[in-house]
């Protein structure tokens, strides 16, 4: 880098070479520096891609595990609130309800299937089940919906990267 930055005439005088040879030398050095920078950026991009693949494989294995393990299925009965004040029935398990109540950002703690259940749940029934007001339940459902969208976007990006990289040569 120092040899590139030195004025051509000073370097030619110091090395007892012509300015033309010094220009060729400086151009060659600049090309080497440019190539090294491109290689560094390529390595970083490849590392990010490999990390994204690991994350995708991790997500896919978790999905496969959750599909292999039978989940407790509950009949969805939306009774709303009755005149006697009993809680509304929800399709959400006690574990999901506990996470929604206790966690500061429950949408980040739940898996995608649970997020879908929360988003699809009746807002009023969710509010009653959590002992929250309807606005807080709506905000929770919106946060869960945004997290689902974000996860979908990540998966689509990973699939796009994978399909783009299939046709290209493997980097060294």
């Amino acid at each position: 880098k120092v040899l590139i930055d030195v004025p051509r005439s000073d370097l030619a005088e110091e090395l007892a070479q012509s300015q033309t040879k010094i220009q060729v030398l400086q151009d060659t050095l600049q090309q080497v520096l440019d190539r090294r920078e491109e290689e560094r950026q390529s390595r970083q991009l490849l590392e990010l891609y490999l990390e994204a693949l690991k994350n995708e494989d991790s997500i896919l294995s978790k999905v496969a595990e959750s599909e292999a393990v039978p989940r407790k299925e509950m009949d969805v009965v939306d009774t709303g609130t009755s005149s006697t004040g009993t809680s509304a029935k929800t399709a959400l398990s006690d574990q999901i309800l506990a996470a929604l109540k206790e966690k500061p950002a429950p949408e980040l703690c739940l898996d995608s299937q649970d997020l879908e259940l929360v988003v699809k749940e009746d807002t009023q029934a969710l509010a009653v089940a959590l002992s929250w007001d309807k606005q807080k339940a709506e905000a929770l459902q919106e946060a869960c919906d945004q997290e689902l969208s974000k996860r979908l976007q990540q998966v689509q990006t990973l699939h796009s990267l994978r399909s783009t990289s299939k046709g290209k040569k493997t980097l060294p």
Side-chain angles (χ1 to χ4, degrees):
K1 180 69 178 154
V2 172
L3 291 174
I4 294 170
D5 293 338
V6 171
R8 203 172 295 136
S9 59
D10 293 347
L11 189 57
E13 184 179 319
E14 190 67 34
L15 295 176
Q17 296 290 326
S18 69
Q19 285 194 16
T20 309
K21 285 186 177 182
I22 296 302
Q23 181 177 359
V24 170
L25 173 67
Q26 286 180 327
D27 290 345
T28 303
L29 290 172
Q30 184 62 52
Q31 290 171 358
V32 169
L33 285 176
D34 292 345
R35 191 185 77 236
R36 285 182 182 174
E37 179 61 20
E38 287 175 8
E39 289 171 354
R40 185 190 64 76
Q41 289 176 356
S42 295
R43 273 193 305 275
Q44 282 182 330
L45 185 59
L46 183 59
E47 287 170 4
L48 287 173
Y49 176 69
L50 291 174
E51 185 178 322
L53 282 177
K54 284 180 189 175
N55 289 341
E56 179 184 20
D57 289 343
S58 171
I59 290 169
L60 292 176
S61 67
K62 286 180 183 177
V63 168
E65 286 174 15
S66 68
E67 288 175 355
V69 176
R71 296 174 61 98
K72 288 185 187 176
E73 296 295 330
M74 301 174 70
D75 289 339
V76 179
V77 180
D78 185 11
T79 59
T81 53
S82 67
S83 57
T84 60
T86 58
S87 295
K89 299 289 182 191
T90 67
L92 304 177
S93 69
D94 292 336
Q95 181 182 359
I96 296 172
L97 290 172
L100 293 174
K101 283 182 183 179
E102 297 168 7
K103 302 289 182 177
E107 68 275 7
L108 301 177
C109 303
L110 297 174
D111 65 25
S112 296
Q113 289 177 329
D114 292 341
L115 287 174
E116 286 179 21
L117 289 174
V118 173
V119 170
K120 291 178 182 177
E121 186 63 56
D122 177 65
T123 307
Q124 185 62 39
L126 182 62
V128 171
L130 295 172
S131 303
W132 290 354
D133 60 35
K134 191 172 180 178
Q135 290 80 12
K136 190 172 180 181
E138 286 174 348
L140 172 70
Q141 285 181 311
E142 179 63 30
C144 290
D145 191 39
Q146 288 176 357
E147 180 63 22
L148 267 174
S149 296
K150 181 177 133 189
R151 290 179 187 182
L152 178 62
Q153 172 98 29
Q154 288 174 338
V155 170
Q156 288 171 341
T157 302
L158 289 172
H159 286 297
S160 175
L161 277 172
R162 181 174 278 168
S163 66
T164 302
S165 68
K166 281 184 181 177
K168 296 187 176 185
K169 293 181 181 176
T170 306
L171 293 175

